Amino acid sequence: QVQLVESGGGSVQAGGSLRLSCAASGYTVSSTNMGWFRQAPGKEREGVAFMSPGSGTTYYADSVKGRFTISQHNAKNMVYLQMNSLKPEDTAMYYCAAGGFLLIDKTYRYWGQGTQVTVSS
């Protein structure tokens, strides 16, 4: 059974940093495309970062490019999202997802329960 569990969210002031973690079970992150998505209240879910471990390809939304970094730790079977220079508009529930393509959320079959990130000005 595939399971994804996010952690690392919290409250931070603008300009600060957070690192989100996604613990995976039921499959290996080293062989599965992974994505991070977010959804703010009243807004549609949007893709933030994507990683294809097979090709080493990463892809980011323009809104986070240069500030966020997706990575993985194969031995721990974890995926991370390092978020720097956070802005109030980054406030959202963040989800990791597995098995999809780029930032197209409909292509992802497996989702975590989410972790809240709140950035104050």
Side-chain angles (χ1 to χ4, degrees):
Q1 181 179 359
V2 175
Q3 188 174 15
L4 302 170
V5 180
E6 302 95 333
S7 61
S11 297
V12 64
Q13 288 191 330
S17 299
L18 283 173
R19 187 179 80 157
L20 305 184
S21 300
C22 176
S25 60
Y27 74 98
T28 55
V29 298
S30 61
S31 60
T32 307
N33 290 350
M34 297 295 298
W36 282 97
F37 293 79
R38 67 185 181 187
Q39 187 167 23
K43 294 187 177 181
E44 292 187 355
R45 185 168 57 194
E46 65 169 333
V48 173
F50 165 82
M51 167 175 276
S52 174
S55 64
T57 300
T58 57
Y59 184 82
Y60 298 92
D62 288 342
S63 58
V64 307
K65 201 171 295 183
R67 300 189 297 123
F68 290 13
T69 303
I70 186 171
S71 63
Q72 64 184 56
H73 192 300
N74 292 340
K76 295 183 178 180
N77 214 35
M78 300 276 290
V79 178
Y80 304 101
L81 184 68
Q82 178 67 43
M83 306 186 296
N84 299 328
S85 302
L86 283 162
K87 305 175 181 180
E89 51 263 44
D90 294 319
T91 295
M93 184 72 78
Y94 283 72
Y95 302 88
C96 69
F101 183 66
L102 293 178
L103 301 181
I104 307 170
D105 59 353
K106 295 179 180 180
T107 64
Y108 287 81
R109 180 178 180 183
Y110 302 106
W111 294 82
Q113 84 290 347
T115 185
Q116 178 68 38
V117 171
T118 302
V119 185
S120 58
S121 57

